[in-house]
Amino acid sequence: MNPLPPPFSPAKPSRLSRSKKGFFSPKVVRAVSFYVITFCVALSVFVCLLAIWDFANNEVWGRSVASCLVVAAGTALFSFVNSAFGEPDNGDGSGPV
């Protein structure tokens, strides 16, 4: 029996530990999603304030808020799908656009 412990070898990165890279650049998608969702929230607040002060009727308020919610949800869903169907990043700069 050998009294010395086996030599240390660093763990190899597994496939699961690699960061994912989306079909489109995740940084760009995240930035665009942030700005679109922020714009939708700000627009919804503005329209709600107009409706509270009776500068816009309730029909305009309801349609505007519903439209902003649909656009924001679609943007968030696209961001999620982009990252979910991306290929793993090798760390060497290769991969999808």
Side-chain angles (χ1 to χ4, degrees):
M1 191 168 224
N2 190 357
L4 296 174
F8 175 75
S9 61
K12 295 178 183 173
S14 68
R15 185 173 183 213
L16 297 176
S17 67
R18 293 185 202 157
S19 63
K20 285 222 164 196
K21 183 167 181 141
F23 187 77
F24 297 105
S25 172
K27 286 184 178 182
V28 173
V29 171
R30 195 175 307 119
V32 169
S33 297
F34 173 77
Y35 289 121
V36 168
I37 291 172
T38 302
F39 176 75
C40 288
V41 169
L43 184 63
S44 295
V45 169
F46 179 71
V47 171
C48 288
L49 287 173
L50 289 178
I52 289 170
W53 288 95
D54 289 330
F55 288 111
N57 62 19
N58 288 336
E59 186 176 325
V60 171
W61 173 81
R63 289 182 182 186
S64 298
V65 171
S67 297
C68 286
L69 287 175
V70 168
V71 170
T75 303
L77 181 64
F78 175 76
S79 180
F80 172 74
V81 168
N82 182 59
S83 65
F85 287 104
E87 296 176 4
D89 187 10
N90 296 342
D92 61 358
S94 66
V97 178

